[in-house]
Amino acid sequence: MTGVYRPESLLKNPPQATDVTLEMLLANQTHLGHSTSRWNPQNSRYIFGIREGTHIISLDVTAAYLRRAAKVVEEVAYWGGLILFAGTRKGQKRAVVRAAELAQGYHIFERWIPGSLTNGQQILGHCEKKIVNGLDETLDDLWKEELESYRALKPDLVVCLNPVENVVLLHECGLNNVPTIGIIDTDADPTRVTYPIPANDDSLRSVTLIAGVLGRAGEVGQRRRLARARKGHLTYEH
């Protein structure tokens, strides 16, 4: 059946950033902000207008910032960086996990443990480690003692789907110079993240669309990286 809207397709087969249209953003409620009494004045540049006491986010701005963020994710993945997707609100788990799967990154959908970046060796140092080559093949010929000598890695990029509840995570990213991408609703502080995406962070359809687009961008970057690695060219140093 054609011409039928299927929200589940956003999760199973998210679009690429170049395929996102204003109609798609509108259908997935990305334009709906909060009531005017709850707005953060720093979001004035992202707001199109007011309707029935609710701020309406400019879809032109959302589309432009989403494409910019997708390009950042793609390039970080291409250069072999670690990408962490974080979304801790109820219902965001599937979108977070799916985006991380596409981008071959990592995910958090429960809560951020304070100190995981600023005190990462003590909190994450006991976790199981593995080493892979340029083609992502696990190397099993390394001694256990050598593996234990490696420190816990920090992400090269953090994508946060609900920045309002994850101020501690974003603060730790700032202290460790880790760039961040975040969905910024009209009540959020856009200066908390490096690359804001003005959009509705309360709608699961909005969050699923944005997370899927960023995950798909990471998938494209990983595909480019592996294609280059098969030719014997690594995008990062040993």
Side-chain angles (χ1 to χ4, degrees):
M1 184 180 298
T2 60
V4 178
Y5 175 66
R6 302 182 185 276
E8 192 72 13
S9 64
L10 289 177
L11 194 65
K12 295 181 179 179
N13 188 31
Q16 294 190 29
T18 53
D19 297 327
V20 173
T21 63
L22 299 187
E23 292 79 8
M24 185 184 298
L25 294 174
L26 181 67
N28 289 284
Q29 306 172 340
T30 60
H31 63 295
L32 297 177
H34 285 278
S35 64
T36 55
S37 61
R38 295 181 56 187
W39 82 308
N40 187 316
Q42 295 188 79
N43 288 314
S44 59
R45 76 191 88 169
Y46 310 137
I47 294 176
F48 176 78
I50 300 173
R51 183 175 178 82
E52 297 182 356
T54 300
H55 275 127
I56 304 300
I57 300 171
S58 173
L59 293 181
D60 288 323
V61 176
T62 300
Y65 279 61
L66 177 57
R67 293 189 183 105
R68 180 183 69 166
K71 188 62 178 178
V72 172
V73 172
E74 179 182 341
E75 291 303 312
V76 171
Y78 171 69
W79 290 101
L82 299 178
I83 304 175
L84 174 65
F85 290 83
T88 56
R89 284 186 185 172
K90 184 178 180 181
Q92 293 183 347
K93 176 179 178 180
R94 297 178 67 195
V96 173
V97 173
R98 178 58 176 158
E101 288 177 346
L102 289 171
Q104 297 182 33
Y106 300 86
H107 55 72
I108 292 176
F109 50 78
E110 291 183 349
R111 75 179 186 89
W112 175 257
I113 300 176
S116 295
L117 286 182
T118 55
N119 198 25
Q121 188 59 29
Q122 283 67 32
I123 295 177
L124 303 175
H126 64 281
C127 296
E128 183 180 355
K129 304 173 186 176
K130 67 176 181 179
I131 296 181
V132 297
N133 59 16
L135 296 175
D136 292 348
E137 298 169 341
T138 304
L139 302 178
D140 297 321
D141 56 345
L142 293 172
W143 294 98
K144 183 177 180 180
E145 292 77 9
E146 186 175 351
L147 270 177
E148 292 178 348
S149 66
Y150 284 83
R151 298 181 61 84
L153 296 179
K154 296 179 181 179
D156 297 287
L157 176 67
V158 171
V159 178
C160 186
L161 304 182
N162 56 323
V164 174
E165 291 85 4
N166 286 290
V167 174
V168 175
L169 164 60
L170 298 177
H171 180 67
E172 291 190 28
C173 288
L175 293 177
N176 288 272
N177 296 319
V178 177
T180 54
I181 295 173
I183 300 178
I184 298 299
D185 210 329
T186 56
D187 65 334
D189 183 357
T191 63
R192 290 282 186 183
V193 297
T194 313
Y195 302 99
I197 303 174
N200 183 359
D201 67 351
D202 296 304
S203 167
L204 284 180
R205 286 162 58 178
S206 172
V207 170
T208 301
L209 172 63
I210 293 173
V213 170
L214 298 180
R216 185 68 75 189
E219 181 184 45
V220 173
Q222 295 288 1
R223 190 183 304 124
R224 288 173 52 205
R225 178 181 62 82
L226 290 175
R228 183 179 174 87
R230 293 188 187 98
K231 297 179 181 179
H233 304 290
L234 299 180
T235 55
Y236 54 89
E237 297 181 358
H238 291 282

